[in-house]
Amino acid sequence: MPSTDDITLSNDAVKLEGTVLYADLAHSTTMVDSEPDWFAAEIYKNYLYCAAHIIREFDGIITAYDGDRVMGVFIGDMKNTNAAKCALKINYTVKKILRPALAAKYPKSTFVLEQRVGIDTSNLFVARTGIRGSNDLVWVGNAANNAAKMAALPTSYPSYISAAVYNRLDPESKYFDDITMTDNMWTNLGDSDLGYVIYGSTYSWVL
């Protein structure tokens, strides 16, 4: 996985096959408008903290934080399965840890923490952009664009993956019972409005 030290600011870049994951906190604009700033900051920090730790747990590299979302990139033979497990575990963390903790600490609050994760895989072109002393890597490719778009879809499915990711999943990250290969955890949602087939899941991966 390239770092900023590996790529120069001149005409230099790295090409690789990667799977991109975007984890995005939902309704953040409404939350910022309706809740105290310290409350919104606490939600941001706890969600991103958990998502980032889970990305690293599955050998993903955190490449960017953008407000209320985090981007991770996975490489290697297990990149799609690892990214899918990561999405399901983030969903578990939100439902079983963050929401109960929020309700216990702020019992009068009506805010409901919701989020979405989008995942796609493709060839990526990694370049370094900016100026000396203030620069970072940019990840150019369909996976980055598509993952970001899926992370903005309705929260009815907390986890979204492209067909390209789905078709490369190991059975354990595709079926609830990976022995009999029954009870598919992913629902085929067709090509929706994005122009390519996606799958959604409401399942969780226990910590």
Side-chain angles (χ1 to χ4, degrees):
M1 189 76 74
S3 67
T4 51
D5 294 334
D6 299 323
I7 304 174
T8 67
L9 278 168
S10 60
N11 295 327
D12 194 12
V14 171
K15 292 183 178 179
L16 55 83
E17 293 182 5
T19 297
V20 177
L21 176 150
Y22 265 101
D24 192 349
L25 187 65
H27 317 306
S28 57
T29 300
T30 301
M31 177 179 62
V32 170
D33 289 341
S34 61
E35 301 286 352
D37 51 5
W38 54 263
F39 180 89
E42 184 173 349
I43 298 298
Y44 275 41
K45 289 178 67 176
N46 281 279
Y47 173 68
L48 294 175
Y49 176 88
C50 292
H53 270 275
I54 295 169
I55 289 171
R56 285 186 174 177
E57 177 188 347
F58 286 101
D59 298 326
I61 302 298
I62 297 167
T63 58
Y65 290 97
D66 182 12
D68 62 348
R69 66 182 181 177
V70 58
M71 174 183 170
V73 176
F74 300 77
I75 60 174
D77 294 339
M78 297 295 292
K79 57 184 177 290
N80 296 291
T81 291
N82 283 344
K85 289 179 181 178
C86 181
L88 300 178
K89 186 167 281 194
I90 291 174
N91 184 40
Y92 177 91
T93 302
V94 168
K95 292 196 305 182
K96 300 298 184 179
I97 299 175
L98 293 181
R99 283 182 187 167
L102 179 65
K105 188 172 183 180
Y106 304 107
K108 295 182 180 180
S109 174
T110 58
F111 175 77
V112 178
L113 197 163
E114 293 185 301
Q115 58 90 41
R116 296 137 309 187
V117 172
I119 304 171
D120 192 22
T121 189
S122 73
N123 291 324
L124 296 171
F125 188 88
V126 190
R128 190 173 175 182
T129 184
I131 59 176
R132 189 173 301 278
S134 180
N135 56 79
D136 204 352
L137 299 181
V138 292
W139 300 76
V140 182
N142 288 335
N145 293 335
N146 293 342
K149 290 178 181 177
M150 282 185 275
L153 291 173
T155 56
S156 49
Y157 289 95
S159 306
Y160 292 95
I161 61 176
S162 67
V165 171
Y166 177 82
N167 292 333
R168 292 171 173 83
L169 294 181
D170 278 3
E172 64 177 356
S173 58
K174 183 182 289 187
Y175 301 102
F176 187 75
D177 186 339
D178 62 315
I179 303 300
T180 61
M181 294 190 183
T182 56
D183 196 0
N184 196 325
M185 294 188 287
W186 300 92
T187 301
N188 188 331
L189 302 176
D191 58 12
S192 65
D193 295 326
L194 300 180
Y196 49 88
V197 175
I198 64 172
Y199 289 75
S201 179
T202 59
Y203 278 78
S204 300
W205 193 278
V206 178
L207 291 178

